């Protein structure tokens, strides 16, 4: 923690807190003998002062008590408390601290003894390492500790003790003593040892190395590269991975551009789609050598960019000429130098009109006097002409060509509805068909969803098939888990006969398209033991020593009905090609969106390869990573190519949790490549918040997901507020993962009206179709989360206030950022609330709201424009 925080601000140590019980009372209450209290006080101050760059002591700490004051008061004055004074000791510590740079500089610090060792040895040093001090503290109350100084120096990496290295003991107000042997540290004692290295004066007389030695210049070093291009953004891991945008969204590239001297530089952003020729746009100066340029990709696919910068000789001449003119200096030679630059531009002019204009300017120059020549060379017309024909000799190019993956708009903004196809029918004993699924599409479209996502639709294995409630033994008629893919009917390119045929699936895709819905398929790279691949490609799988195939495990969980492929088997390329071609097979059936099951358990190089291979053939493809895993792995999958990712939103419930997490997603570095998809629930996850909060909890989580992120999803049953869980687990009771299920899609208590309203509100308000425009605003009640989303031009502004407590009414003020909304202080403005349709007139920034989870846990406001009635 010290080494993390020291880079932010200097640390201050406290021997005792000023707002809790006195240290003496704490010690005596813990059974520390009165005779030991003064020693403990001394040690506490010494450790606080020696550990941190600064030390702060509460007033009166120097006057300690060895008896508890409440005990003394109980004695009715019969016994006087024993008082001690540490003033002299504290002054000595402070003098020592001031005299030793390593004790007052916030340099590196590390512990050299084990965490359980009562002898604490800290090595403190200045940032440069020129001064080093060992702080040694024996925390044991009764036993002395011994330490070998030679071993101490070696373990610290200082080398052996000897004539060159000495450890000098520093003791407050005492003469320094040299240490080169063993050191005994008494109980509760602290010691200071300073490491000193005697420098050899003879080093200056040592000869240089041979002249012919290769100095080892960096490959990018160039003697002519006088312009520096650095700190480029967007740049993911130095350009190793692409940033992400959607078509029509401007890409702003920024960079630090500068050179030696006072000459003026110019630069262009060069950008291209795929392998097309470069296009260019000029960089504009921002501030402090920071420059910016932007382009707008008009096609989906892979874009690339780079930067070229050069010394603008004409602008440099113009700047220098103007300064000399203003200083009243002679300009005869300077105008001749300007003419030379204009004459050279004639040779670069490819357009006849430009050449003609330059020659006319030269003729006017030759006919005029110094004043006329000066006016000509400084004219705005010539300046624009010269800017179009720059001399790029000696230009410097950025050595990389970073990529931007540009996706269609649906990659960022969409509402997903997850469907279990076999549960869309009316018979609990048999599977529904694609025809039953088609019958439900109208309702899903009417609710405002954009994507209907199907769990795996492939044949389900019979070997080790799971029974109801994940029972390891399946009863006759149990359908098994759709994630146990593959049987005699086929594998990943086949359709479960219970659902219908491949032609039936294509009819489903077409019916969805007619209603404005896209179909997403689950891509799960796992197989049932009787998947055709197991027999056809045995090398793709792992077998145990007894010859049995190795099934999937995540101890203590076991998945007996699933076996995993070996991504690095001897036929690696054959497996990878088959998986790629499987995705492309479904692309040919009309699918462009794939939700990938557990991608974090598969190799990152595979995903980078497969997604790039697929998108090269089908740029419209979208990949959603179902990766509830470690944050760095989630981000790595996004860098590798995944368009979207599941997130931790599912478990972020409080105001602090949501604010912190959304700030990370929208303002942190990952905003350049990580696109969150806020699923409120999944077949595997029934969050506790939904289990305990009833219908209000479902309304709250729906509003949060749909307004915080432009992409969100629900799993069927959420609209019915289904929250029956396995006791003490985040899983559905009688999950349809293992059985047929029939739903009453209109059962009482549903929230379909909320879903339809919010989805249509999202479509009507483009501010909700962006991610990084989120701004949290002040709300006085800790259970009310309030935020604003606005388009860049402020043409669309949405204000959201949500009660995060599904059990209680909450009310309070919210404070609007009027300046960010383009409104003056005390401005009058009008809002429309989505759920009630009410039009409100507000004035100023602070407004009172009331949120009842039973009736209105959410307020959705749209700021009305002055033209709207």
């Amino acid at each position: 923690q010290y080494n993390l925080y020291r880079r932010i601000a200097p640390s201050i140590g406290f021997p005792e807190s000023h707002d809790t019980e006195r240290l003496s009372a704490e010690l005596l209450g813990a059974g520390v003998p009165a005779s030991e209290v003064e020693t403990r006080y001394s040690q506490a101050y010494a450790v606080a002062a020696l550990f941190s760059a600064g030390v702060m002591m509460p007033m009166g700490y120097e006057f300690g008590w060895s008896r508890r004051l409440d005990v003394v008061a109980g004695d009715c004055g019969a016994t006087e408390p024993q008082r001690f004074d540490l003033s002299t000791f504290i002054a000595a510590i402070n003098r020592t601290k001031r005299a030793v740079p390593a004790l007052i500089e916030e340099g590196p610090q590390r512990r050299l003894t084990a965490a359980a060792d009562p002898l604490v040895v800290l090595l403190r040093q200045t940032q440069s390492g020129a001064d080093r001090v060992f702080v040694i503290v024996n925390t044991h109350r009764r036993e002395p500790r011994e330490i070998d100084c030679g071993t101490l120096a070696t373990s610290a990496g200082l080398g052996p003790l000897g004539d060159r290295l000495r450890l000098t003991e520093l003791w407050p107000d005492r003469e320094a003593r040299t240490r080169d042997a063993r050191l005994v540290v008494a109980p509760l004692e602290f010691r200071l040892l300073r490491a000193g290295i005697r420098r050899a004066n003879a080093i200056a007389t040592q000869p240089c190395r041979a002249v012919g030695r290769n100095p080892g210049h960096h490959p990018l070093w160039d003697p002519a590269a006088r312009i520096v291009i650095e700190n480029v953004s967007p740049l993911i891991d130095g350009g190793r991975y692409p940033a992400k945008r959607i078509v029509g969204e401007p890409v702003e590239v920024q960079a630090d551009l500068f050179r030696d001297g006072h000459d003026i530089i110019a630069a262009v952003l060069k950008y291209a789609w795929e392998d097309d020729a470069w296009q260019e746009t000029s960089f504009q100066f921002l501030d402090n050598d920071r420059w910016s340029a932007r382009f707008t990709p008009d096609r989906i696919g892979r874009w690339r960019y780079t930067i070229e910068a050069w010394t603008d000789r004409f602008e440099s001449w113009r700047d220098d000429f103007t300064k000399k003119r203003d200083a009243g200096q002679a300009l005869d030679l300077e105008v001749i130098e300007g003419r030379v630059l204009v004459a050279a531009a004639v040779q670069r002019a490819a357009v006849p009109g430009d050449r003609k204009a330059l020659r006319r300017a030269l003729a006017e120059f030759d006919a005029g006097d110094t004043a006329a020549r000066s006016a000509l060379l400084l004219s705005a017309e010539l300046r624009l002409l010269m800017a179009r024909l720059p001399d790029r000799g000696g230009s410097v190019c950025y050595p990389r060509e970073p990529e931007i993956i540009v996706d269609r708009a649906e990659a960022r903004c969409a509402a997903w509805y997850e469907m279990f196809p076999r549960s869309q029918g009316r018979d609990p004993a048999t599977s529904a068909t694609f025809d039953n699924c088609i019958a439900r599409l109208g309702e899903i479209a009417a609710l405002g969803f954009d994507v209907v996502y199907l769990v795996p639709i492939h044949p389900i294995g019979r070997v080790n098939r799971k029974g109801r409630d994940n029972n390891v033994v399946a009863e006759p008629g149990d359908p098994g888990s759709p994630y146990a893919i593959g049987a005699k009917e086929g594998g990943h390119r086949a359709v479960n006969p219970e659902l219908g045929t491949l032609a039936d699936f294509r009819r489903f895709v077409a019916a969805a398209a007619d209603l404005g819905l896209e179909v997403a398929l689950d891509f799960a790279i796992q197989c049932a033991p009787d998947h055709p691949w197991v027999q056809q490609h045995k090398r793709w799988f792992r077998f145990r020593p007894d010859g049995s195939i190795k099934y999937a495990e995540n101890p203590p969980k076991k998945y007996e009905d699933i076996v995993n492929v070996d991504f690095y088997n001897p036929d690696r390329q054959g497996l990878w090609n088959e998986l790629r071609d499987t995705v492309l097979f479904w692309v040919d059936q009309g699918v462009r969106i794939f939700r990938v099951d557990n991608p974090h358990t598969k190799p990152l190089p595979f995903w980078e390869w497969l997604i790039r291979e697929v998108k090269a053939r089908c740029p419209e493809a979208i990949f959603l990573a179902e990766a509830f895993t470690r944050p760095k792995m989630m981000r790595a999958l996004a860098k590798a190519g995944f368009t979207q990712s599941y997130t931790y939103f599912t478990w972020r419930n409080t105001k602090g949790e949501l604010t912190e997490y959304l700030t990370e997603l929208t303002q942190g570095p990952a905003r350049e490549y990580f696109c969150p998809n806020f699923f409120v629930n999944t077949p595997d996850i029934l969050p506790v918040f939904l289990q305990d909060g009833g219908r209000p909890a479902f309304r709250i989580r729906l509003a949060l997901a749909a307004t915080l992120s432009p992409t969100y999803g629900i799993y069927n049953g959420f609209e019915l507020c289904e929250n029956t869980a396995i006791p003490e687990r985040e899983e559905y009771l009688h999950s349809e993962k293992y059985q047929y299920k029939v739903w009453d899609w209109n059962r009482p208590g549903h929230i379909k009206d909320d879903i339809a309203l919010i989805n249509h509100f999202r479509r009507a308000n483009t501010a909700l179709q962006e991610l990084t425009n989120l701004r949290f605003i002040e709300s006085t009640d800790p259970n009310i989360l309030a935020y604003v989303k606005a388009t860049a031009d402020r043409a669309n502004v949405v204000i959201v206030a949500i009660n995060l407590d599904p059990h209680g009414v909450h009310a309070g003020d919210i404070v609007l950022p009027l300046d960010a909304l383009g409104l003056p202080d005390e401005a009058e403005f009008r809002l429309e609330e989505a759920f009630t349709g009410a039009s409100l007139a507000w004035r100023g920034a602070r407004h009172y709201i009331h949120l009842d989870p039973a009736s209105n846990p959410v307020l959705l406001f749209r700021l009305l424009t002055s033209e709207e009635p």
Side-chain angles (χ1 to χ4, degrees):
Q1 185 184 52
Y2 169 87
N3 282 316
L4 175 66
Y5 288 172
R6 73 181 179 86
R7 304 180 186 277
I8 302 172
S11 60
I12 297 180
F14 292 80
E16 175 185 73
S17 175
H18 68 280
D19 57 1
T20 59
E21 192 174 28
R22 291 295 304 272
L23 179 59
S24 58
E26 181 183 337
L27 293 172
L28 292 166
V32 175
S35 59
E36 191 180 302
V37 171
E38 181 176 356
T39 305
R40 287 292 195 95
Y41 258 70
S42 301
Q43 186 188 69
Y45 186 84
V47 171
L50 302 178
F51 175 79
S52 303
V55 60
M56 184 179 291
M57 181 188 80
M59 183 175 65
Y61 179 86
E62 67 272 30
F63 304 121
W65 304 91
S66 59
R67 297 191 61 197
R68 290 189 60 173
L69 299 182
D70 56 346
V71 175
V72 173
D75 288 344
C76 300
T79 304
E80 288 296 325
Q82 296 181 5
R83 179 174 178 271
F84 55 82
D85 185 351
L86 298 179
S87 300
T88 302
F89 173 83
I90 291 171
I93 287 285
N94 290 344
R95 280 194 297 272
T96 301
K97 184 175 178 64
R98 273 198 304 271
V100 180
L103 296 178
I104 57 176
E105 183 178 322
E106 203 77 2
Q109 181 172 189
R110 60 190 173 104
R111 181 171 182 166
L112 302 179
T113 50
D117 194 333
L119 186 68
V120 180
V121 179
L122 301 175
L123 173 62
R124 293 204 61 178
Q125 65 183 59
T126 56
Q127 187 64 41
S128 66
D131 190 46
R132 297 181 177 91
V133 173
F134 295 95
V135 179
I136 304 172
V137 183
N138 184 3
T139 63
H140 203 284
R141 294 172 55 191
R142 297 181 180 84
E143 298 179 6
R145 286 291 187 269
E146 188 175 85
I147 187 169
D148 184 277
C149 294
T151 303
L152 181 66
T154 303
S155 65
L158 302 181
L161 291 176
D163 292 339
R164 188 168 180 270
L165 176 65
R166 292 280 184 171
L167 296 183
T168 302
E169 185 171 40
L170 304 176
W171 185 252
D173 262 3
R174 296 185 184 180
E175 183 180 354
R177 294 171 291 171
T178 299
R179 280 285 174 188
D180 54 8
R182 304 189 71 81
L183 180 70
V184 177
V185 187
L188 301 179
E189 185 182 23
F190 76 92
R191 307 291 282 271
L192 281 175
L193 297 180
R194 192 175 192 178
I197 299 177
R198 184 168 61 87
R199 304 293 181 184
N201 294 328
I203 191 169
T205 64
Q206 294 180 1
C208 295
R209 295 185 180 183
V211 176
R213 179 177 178 268
N214 183 359
H217 292 299
H218 193 279
L220 295 181
W221 177 81
D222 181 353
R226 298 180 64 178
I227 297 176
V228 177
I229 304 175
E230 64 182 17
N231 198 18
V232 175
S233 68
L235 193 69
I236 312 303
D237 291 359
R240 170 64 178 85
Y241 300 102
K244 294 176 183 173
R245 295 293 188 272
I246 60 172
V247 67
E249 178 186 15
V251 176
E252 182 179 14
V253 176
Q254 292 192 6
D256 293 342
L257 306 175
F258 57 93
R259 57 152 291 165
D260 60 281
H262 302 289
D263 283 347
I264 293 174
I265 62 175
V268 291
L269 172 66
K270 306 171 78 169
Y271 60 95
W273 178 78
E274 302 287 350
D275 296 321
D276 281 2
W278 291 115
Q279 302 179 61
E280 292 185 354
T281 185
S282 296
F283 269 93
Q284 303 301 317
F285 178 77
L286 294 177
D287 182 43
N288 192 25
D289 290 327
R290 192 71 175 163
W291 296 65
S292 173
R294 61 172 55 196
F295 71 97
T296 301
D298 57 2
R299 287 176 286 180
I300 62 175
R302 177 176 56 87
W303 290 73
R304 54 197 172 95
Y305 74 87
T306 191
I307 300 169
E308 183 179 0
W310 61 91
T311 300
D312 191 327
R313 291 177 173 81
F314 186 74
E315 277 298 311
S316 298
W317 170 87
R318 199 174 188 276
D319 182 65
D320 187 58
F321 182 88
T322 303
K323 291 176 181 177
K324 291 181 178 181
R325 182 198 62 185
D326 295 344
Q329 298 179 8
L331 301 173
D332 294 341
L333 292 178
E334 278 68 18
V335 295
I336 300 300
E337 291 173 345
R339 187 195 188 285
V340 171
L341 295 174
V342 175
V346 175
Q347 307 303 317
R348 300 192 297 272
V351 178
D354 289 344
R355 286 197 301 273
K356 184 176 180 181
L358 287 172
R359 287 171 177 155
R360 184 171 57 249
L362 290 172
E364 291 179 15
F365 178 93
D366 294 339
D369 57 14
T370 300
R373 291 175 174 182
S374 299
L376 172 68
L377 292 174
L378 294 178
S379 66
E381 294 81 6
L382 183 60
R383 187 180 193 184
L384 289 173
L385 186 57
M386 292 295 288
R388 291 204 304 270
L389 303 168
D391 177 6
R392 298 192 185 185
S395 68
V396 173
C397 291
Y398 189 58
R400 300 181 180 88
E401 294 182 7
E403 292 182 341
I404 307 284
I405 295 299
V406 177
D407 285 301
R408 52 198 175 101
E410 293 78 8
R412 175 178 294 172
C413 180
W416 289 47
Y417 184 88
E418 180 174 0
M419 172 192 286
F420 250 80
R422 72 187 183 194
S423 298
Q424 308 305 308
R426 289 283 178 258
D427 187 348
T430 60
S431 171
T433 66
F434 283 123
D435 284 334
N436 298 122
C437 296
I438 291 172
R440 285 220 59 226
L441 289 177
E443 178 185 4
I444 295 170
L447 291 176
F449 287 100
D450 306 292
V451 176
V452 56
Y453 147 47
L454 308 184
V455 301
I457 60 173
H458 314 297
I460 298 172
R462 294 175 178 81
V463 175
N464 297 337
R465 174 176 286 191
K466 291 294 184 73
R468 294 168 62 91
D469 297 320
N470 201 20
N471 197 306
V472 294
V473 177
E475 299 295 332
D478 285 345
S481 168
Y483 288 91
I485 297 171
K488 64 181 181 180
E489 295 86 358
H492 281 72
R493 301 192 198 183
V495 170
N496 188 339
E498 291 186 325
L499 296 173
T501 65
L502 188 60
D504 294 331
F505 173 74
R506 286 195 291 264
R507 282 195 301 107
F508 173 81
V509 173
D514 289 342
L515 293 169
L517 289 166
E518 276 203 72
V519 175
L521 277 188
D522 213 321
F523 183 46
I525 304 179
Q526 54 207 34
C527 305
D530 43 338
H531 191 294
W533 287 348
V534 176
Q535 294 300 319
Q536 297 168 5
H537 303 281
K538 289 184 178 294
R539 292 194 299 174
W540 292 358
F541 299 90
R542 294 179 180 176
F543 291 84
R544 301 174 69 85
D546 64 356
S548 62
I549 194 168
K550 183 177 179 62
Y551 59 76
E553 294 182 88
N554 183 17
K557 295 181 180 180
K558 295 183 178 182
Y559 305 95
E560 297 89 347
D561 57 339
I562 293 173
V563 296
N564 289 321
V565 298
D566 180 359
F567 281 87
Y568 290 95
N569 71 84
D571 184 26
R572 176 191 66 80
Q573 196 60 56
L575 170 65
W576 290 25
N577 288 344
E578 174 66 19
L579 294 171
R580 176 201 60 198
D581 294 344
T582 295
V583 174
L584 293 173
F585 172 83
W586 292 107
V587 168
D588 290 341
Q589 313 312 312
V591 178
R592 297 294 184 272
I593 306 177
F594 298 90
R595 179 269 196 189
V596 178
D597 190 63
N598 285 327
H600 56 287
T601 62
K602 285 79 177 175
L604 287 169
F606 165 75
W607 290 124
E608 187 173 3
W609 175 86
L610 178 135
I611 294 174
R612 200 172 184 96
E613 289 272 322
V614 171
K615 289 180 77 70
R617 296 162 173 81
C618 179
E620 300 87 1
I622 293 172
F623 291 85
L624 168 62
E626 186 254 357
F628 295 115
T629 183
R630 305 180 305 280
K632 292 181 181 179
M633 175 56 80
M634 294 171 73
R635 291 194 290 269
L637 288 165
K639 293 176 186 178
F642 276 94
T643 322
Q644 302 173 8
S645 176
Y646 281 45
T647 69
Y648 301 136
F649 164 78
T650 314
W651 297 278
R652 299 296 187 262
N653 301 314
T654 68
K655 187 174 182 176
E657 291 171 343
L658 288 165
T659 301
E660 179 183 21
Y661 189 49
L662 267 296
T663 300
E664 174 191 333
L665 291 179
T666 61
Q667 306 303 321
R671 72 185 186 279
E672 297 286 1
Y673 60 87
F674 187 92
C675 180
N677 190 325
F678 279 8
F679 261 83
V680 289
N681 67 329
T682 76
D684 300 304
I685 303 169
L686 174 58
V688 174
F689 187 87
L690 297 180
Q691 296 180 31
D692 297 341
R695 187 172 183 270
F698 282 79
R699 300 181 72 194
I700 290 168
R701 296 301 289 179
L702 167 70
L704 285 170
T707 59
L708 284 171
S709 172
T711 304
Y712 88 103
I714 70 169
Y715 153 57
N716 67 201
F718 181 89
E719 69 268 44
L720 306 179
C721 301
E722 174 62 37
N723 66 347
T724 306
I726 299 174
E728 299 183 357
R729 292 172 66 177
E730 285 191 322
E731 295 184 50
Y732 287 91
L733 184 65
H734 307 316
S735 169
E736 60 186 332
K737 289 191 298 182
Y738 308 105
Q739 66 185 66
Y740 302 122
K741 201 156 190 171
V742 171
W743 297 94
D744 176 2
W745 299 111
N746 294 300
R747 78 185 189 190
H750 66 74
I751 59 168
K752 293 195 293 184
D753 291 342
D754 284 42
I755 293 173
L757 184 147
I758 287 178
N759 280 340
H760 290 295
F761 188 78
R762 280 163 46 92
R763 288 181 178 175
N765 291 275
T766 54
L768 292 178
Q769 297 167 22
E770 300 178 32
L771 175 67
T772 59
N773 62 343
L774 174 68
R775 175 169 178 168
F776 290 102
I777 60 177
E778 179 185 347
S779 59
T780 56
D781 190 302
N783 290 284
I784 294 178
L785 183 71
Y787 44 95
V788 170
K789 283 196 165 189
T791 55
D793 59 3
R794 298 169 179 162
N796 183 234
V797 177
V798 172
I799 302 165
V800 185
I802 300 181
N803 180 358
L804 301 176
D805 178 8
H807 305 290
V809 176
H810 290 276
D813 288 344
I814 62 172
V815 182
L816 301 180
L818 296 183
D819 57 336
L821 304 182
L823 298 172
D825 293 342
E826 299 304 316
E828 293 184 0
F829 51 93
R830 292 178 305 117
L831 302 169
E832 182 181 71
E833 205 285 313
F835 286 97
T836 63
S839 180
L840 306 175
W842 281 6
R843 179 189 180 95
R846 184 174 291 269
H847 299 277
Y848 179 83
I849 59 172
H850 179 277
L851 295 172
D852 184 341
S855 57
N856 69 318
V858 179
L859 291 174
L860 285 182
F861 296 108
R862 178 176 66 92
L863 183 66
L864 297 175
T865 64
S866 57
E867 292 79 16
E868 292 182 276

